[in-house]
Amino acid sequence: MSFARPAMYDDSTTRLRPIATWARPRAVAAVACVVLGLGLIGGAATGSWLTGESVAGGTTRSAYTVTGALWHSVPVDRLFPPELEGEGAGPGGADRSWTRIGVAPDSGCADAFDPLLSKVLAPVGCLRLLRATYADATRSHVTTVGLLFTKADADAMQTLRNRFTEEGLDRRPDLMPRAYAAKGTAAEGFGDAQRASWTMSVLPDAPVVAYAVSGFADGRAVTDPEPATEAMGSNTTSAPAQSGLGHEAKGIGDRVERGLRKTIAAAEKSS
C-alpha cells in the first residue's frame, strides 16, 4: 500500500525534508484507521448475518427473525379474524362468508397431524401450532385453518417447499392435516373421517406452514377426499367438489395466509 506525499512536501527545496520524520507516523496512523474501519464494517456485517439484520437496511430484521415471535405477540383476532369475507370465493364466483366458531389453545404438534405428515414436517421442527375452525353462513360446512410456526431457517424451509412442489405432497390424501373439532360447536363431529378437502402451503419467505381442511358440519364421513385444487375443477363430480368444500378450504386458507403476510410485513417495518 502506498500513500501520496504529504501536502507540505516540496521538491523545489531541501529545507522541508526534515518533515519526513513525522510523515511516517502519520502514514502508519492512516493505515491503522483503514484497518480499524474495515474491521468495524466487517463486524457489523457479521453481526447482521447472525441476527437477521440487513446492513443496507440498518436495523430492519428479516421475516425469519420476526415471525418466530408472532405466535405469542399477535392478537388471535388478527391471525384468525372472527369474520372472513370471501368475495367471489365460492363455486362459480359466488360470494362466501365465514364465522370463526372455535380457537384451539396454542400448542406443540403432538398428535396434531397424521403420523406420515408428522414425518414429512419433522425436518423443520415445530415451534408452535395455532388453529381455528370456521363455519360457513349456512352452518353446513366447517373448515379448520392452521399455522405451523417452525424452528427452521430459510434453507430448511426452501428444501421442504421444494419437496412439496416436486413430489406433490400437498395433493396426497394420506398427508391431509387434521381438523380441530371444537366442542360445543358445529365442528364437534369434525374428525379424521370427515375430512373432505384441503390445502397446504410452505411459505416462501417465513418459517410457517399454512393449511386448511374442510368437511361437512353434520359429521358425515367422506370416502373420496380431494385436494382443493382438484375439488375446484369444473368437471369434478366428487362429493367435496359438488358441495364446494374445495372452495371453502382454499378461500379460508388464502385469507388467513394473506393476513399473516401483512402482519409479518408490518412487524418488519416497525422493528
Side-chain angles (χ1 to χ4, degrees):
M1 182 180 293
S2 61
F3 293 85
R5 292 178 176 179
M8 296 182 66
Y9 196 97
D10 188 349
D11 284 328
S12 64
T13 177
T14 59
R15 293 182 179 178
L16 296 179
R17 290 188 183 276
I19 295 178
T21 60
W22 59 266
R24 185 176 292 108
R26 183 178 181 185
V28 172
V31 172
C33 289
V34 171
V35 172
L36 179 59
L38 291 174
L40 290 174
I41 293 173
T46 301
S48 68
W49 296 332
L50 293 176
T51 62
E53 295 177 349
S54 167
V55 173
T59 60
T60 300
R61 297 185 295 165
S62 72
Y64 276 77
T65 304
V66 302
T67 304
L70 288 180
W71 67 267
H72 62 74
S73 61
V74 177
V76 65
D77 286 351
R78 189 182 304 173
L79 292 175
F80 303 123
E83 304 287 339
L84 286 173
E85 296 298 326
E87 184 177 354
D95 294 340
R96 282 286 189 269
S97 63
W98 303 281
T99 301
R100 191 186 71 203
I101 58 175
V103 177
D106 60 82
S107 66
C109 293
D111 301 322
F113 303 109
D114 288 344
L116 189 56
L117 181 55
S118 293
K119 184 177 180 180
V120 169
L121 297 174
V124 296
C126 174
L127 178 63
R128 218 67 179 171
L129 177 63
L130 307 182
R131 295 171 294 170
T133 297
Y134 287 82
D136 72 329
T138 65
R139 297 274 170 155
S140 59
H141 300 155
V142 287
T143 302
T144 291
V145 59
L147 297 173
L148 167 60
F149 290 78
T150 76
K151 299 177 181 179
D153 59 15
D155 289 339
M157 291 300 292
Q158 185 60 53
T159 297
L160 181 65
R161 182 176 173 81
N162 290 343
R163 187 181 179 193
F164 263 76
T165 301
E166 294 167 4
E167 301 179 26
L169 301 185
D170 57 335
R171 300 189 300 276
R172 285 176 45 171
D174 57 348
L175 294 177
M176 269 194 299
R178 283 178 171 166
Y180 170 58
K183 293 183 179 181
T185 72
E188 189 168 10
F190 192 12
D192 290 350
Q194 286 69 40
R195 294 175 294 180
S197 190
W198 75 98
T199 180
M200 177 172 283
S201 62
V202 182
L203 271 61
D205 50 5
V208 176
V209 177
Y211 66 86
V213 55
S214 60
F216 295 103
D218 60 8
R220 80 182 76 170
V222 179
T223 59
D224 55 348
E226 282 187 332
T229 51
E230 294 179 13
M232 292 170 66
S234 57
N235 297 321
T236 305
T237 59
S238 66
Q242 293 294 312
S243 60
L245 286 170
H247 290 80
E248 298 288 298
K250 179 69 172 175
I252 293 176
D254 281 355
R255 280 153 183 79
V256 169
E257 183 177 326
R258 285 201 296 265
L260 175 64
R261 288 177 179 275
K262 290 180 181 178
T263 299
I264 293 173
E268 286 184 278
K269 290 181 180 179
S270 62
S271 62

